[in-house]
Amino acid sequence: MDTTAVDEVVGLCRDLLRIDTTNTGDPRTTVGERVAAEYVAERLDEVGVETRLLESAPNRANLIARIPGADSSRGALLVHGHLDVVPADASEWSVPPFAGEEKDGYLWGRGAVDMKDFDAMALAVVREWKRTGYVPPRDIVLCYTADEEAGMEYGSQWLVRNHADAFEGVTEAIGEVGGYSYTVNDDLRLYLVQTAEKGLDWLRLHAHGRPGHGSFIHDDNAVTALAEAVAAVGRHRFPTVVTPTVRQFLEQVSEALHIDLNPDEPELAIAKLGPIANLIGATIRNTANPTRLEAGYKDNVIPGKASATIDCRTLPGQADSFLAELREIIGPDIEIEHVHQQSAVETSFDGDLVDAMGAALRAEDPGARTVPYLMSGGTDAKAFATLGIRCFGFAPLRLPPDLNFSALFHGIDERVPTEGLKFGVRVLDRLLRNS
Ligand SMILES: [Zn+2]
């Protein structure tokens, strides 16, 4: 009998976990992505899938393959996953983070849920298709990226700027972060599907003043001006804004849980949500968190300038009004420099693909109910959305009810249930065959 996707997904995931693809943020010390991309290329080559390995810099490898569908005139579906992982400090872990150990029903390792699990699922599904001669209804573009964890400059952002041709005809995409279960009771599990992401704006504030001697009376101190601005931003609470995705989330969760969640009183509603509140607490307002300070070079010299970095996250459609509000908080004299900017994305929760997600989940879990959500962080979807692609976070996993899943992302002892991986393969296969 042929090996099936369910048979080999755990092994594929284990192999990927054993390749250390730590993304340090420094291109010189990030080397594993190339090895991982070559591993994926070999597994695809074995079953006759042609791949393109695209390097944005030495060892920063991205991989793309197109699986032709029965009707290539239809819009293609992009299935994407990043191969890099955030660093892991082995001394904090109960198992070596890059050993791919299997115990207690879990596969352990850095990247187990973020996101070598989905990387392995997509690989397993396509390998089974090729072995059995199955042709999907429309073109599937498989894309494995580098550098998702440190700004995407060597990965998805580079790909869409330099190899947009590889995504020609792609209308929709699935990737992280969504499709996993949140257990309400034995008969009901909510599967959160990501349909929107907040935007990211790293700003540097610069204050300028008159330099001088620390022993004099001085009324134009850059450090004082900057400190006032930073404190004002850090203490400011931006007003709540309910986007269409959050409104839909609250309405649907309210219906599913039979509790009253009024979208017009989002703070009150979220307070009633228990564990999910963590996930969406930051999705009802813009945020601005001071993260770095820089000023001065000697204890008795008043410097002429001082600067601070503010990590700002904006809701879809809020970037401009956010900036106006920020300007009001810091006053007219502080200079604002845009260090890094990625726009928010949002798509509606409807259409055939969304229906197929729900159907694929329900076929494997009769208690499944899909709910759209807005994520406060960012993923490769931000880059792909610039090509006009509708992006969804859907990397299906059925999770044990007591598992604190969100804590595993970038967390210590990251691990994925092996049964969850097999479940994910079955759901993904159904979805791709029926969309
Ligand atoms: Zn990720």
Side-chain angles (χ1 to χ4, degrees), residues 160-223:
V160 301
R161 275 200 309 272
N162 296 282
H163 294 280
D165 57 301
F167 306 98
E168 208 189 307
V170 173
T171 53
E172 294 163 317
I174 58 170
E176 61 179 355
V177 174
Y180 50 86
S181 64
Y182 164 76
T183 302
V184 178
N185 56 46
D186 285 351
D187 303 320
L188 178 63
R189 273 161 296 283
L190 302 181
Y191 286 78
L192 305 182
V193 179
Q194 186 201 308
T195 55
E197 290 182 5
K198 279 176 105 174
L200 173 158
D201 234 328
W202 290 340
L203 302 179
R204 199 156 293 146
L205 305 185
H206 299 281
H208 303 276
R210 186 163 37 82
H213 196 290
S215 68
F216 295 164
I217 300 285
H218 197 98
D219 58 7
D220 185 18
N221 186 321
V223 176

Side-chain angles (χ1 to χ4, degrees), residues 384-401:
F384 298 127
T386 64
L387 298 175
I389 298 170
R390 290 181 74 197
C391 294
F392 298 91
F394 188 79
L397 272 182
R398 180 171 170 173
L399 300 167

Side-chain angles (χ1 to χ4, degrees), residues 81-82 84-86 113-116 148-149 176-177 375 378-380 409-410 414:
H82 60 84
D84 62 323
V85 298
V86 294
V113 296
D114 185 11
M115 61 174 296
K116 289 175 172 173
E148 195 276 339
E149 298 289 4
E176 61 179 355
V177 174
M375 191 175 126
T379 72
D380 282 334
F409 279 76
H410 300 190
E414 185 177 346

Side-chain angles (χ1 to χ4, degrees), residues 219-237:
D219 58 7
D220 185 18
N221 186 321
V223 176
T224 308
L226 182 81
E228 282 173 348
V230 168
V233 171
R235 298 235 178 270
H236 185 72
R237 219 160 150 70

Side-chain angles (χ1 to χ4, degrees), residues 148-368:
E148 195 276 339
E149 298 289 4
M152 309 165 209
E153 277 304 308
Y154 294 93
S156 55
Q157 298 281 356
W158 177 83
L159 281 173
V160 301
R161 275 200 309 272
N162 296 282
H163 294 280
D165 57 301
F167 306 98
E168 208 189 307
V170 173
T171 53
E172 294 163 317
I174 58 170
E176 61 179 355
V177 174
Y180 50 86
S181 64
Y182 164 76
T183 302
V184 178
N185 56 46
D186 285 351
D187 303 320
L188 178 63
R189 273 161 296 283
L190 302 181
Y191 286 78
L192 305 182
V193 179
Q194 186 201 308
T195 55
E197 290 182 5
K198 279 176 105 174
L200 173 158
D201 234 328
W202 290 340
L203 302 179
R204 199 156 293 146
L205 305 185
H206 299 281
H208 303 276
R210 186 163 37 82
H213 196 290
S215 68
F216 295 164
I217 300 285
H218 197 98
D219 58 7
D220 185 18
N221 186 321
V223 176
T224 308
L226 182 81
E228 282 173 348
V230 168
V233 171
R235 298 235 178 270
H236 185 72
R237 219 160 150 70
F238 288 81
T240 57
V241 176
V242 179
T243 60
T245 300
V246 172
R247 180 168 293 274
Q248 224 177 339
F249 172 87
L250 291 173
E251 283 167 358
Q252 295 198 11
V253 172
S254 168
E255 197 185 303
L257 305 190
H258 307 292
I259 49 173
D260 181 33
L261 302 173
N262 181 356
D264 297 316
E265 291 182 45
E267 285 184 297
L268 211 65
I270 284 174
K272 294 180 186 171
L273 282 181
I276 325 185
N278 268 343
L279 192 74
I280 64 153
T283 66
I284 54 167
R285 50 166 48 94
N286 301 319
T287 58
N289 284 309
T291 52
R292 305 177 82 155
L293 285 170
E294 207 178 329
Y297 51 91
K298 198 167 182 303
D299 290 347
N300 61 354
V301 176
I302 296 165
K305 56 182 195 245
S307 59
T309 306
I310 316 286
D311 183 351
C312 308
R313 308 298 177 115
T314 55
L315 296 165
Q318 290 279 306
D320 292 342
S321 57
F322 166 78
L323 215 55
E325 193 171 347
L326 187 78
R327 173 53 79 191
E328 224 159 81
I329 299 162
I330 63 176
D333 299 331
I334 304 279
E335 182 195 333
I336 299 177
E337 179 195 354
H338 291 263
V339 180
H340 186 70
Q341 208 257 340
Q342 288 171 356
S343 299
V345 295
E346 183 164 37
T347 189
S348 54
F349 192 59
D350 55 11
D352 292 346
L353 181 64
V354 166
D355 293 345
M357 287 174 190
L361 282 169
R362 283 190 301 276
E364 298 295 337
D365 177 2

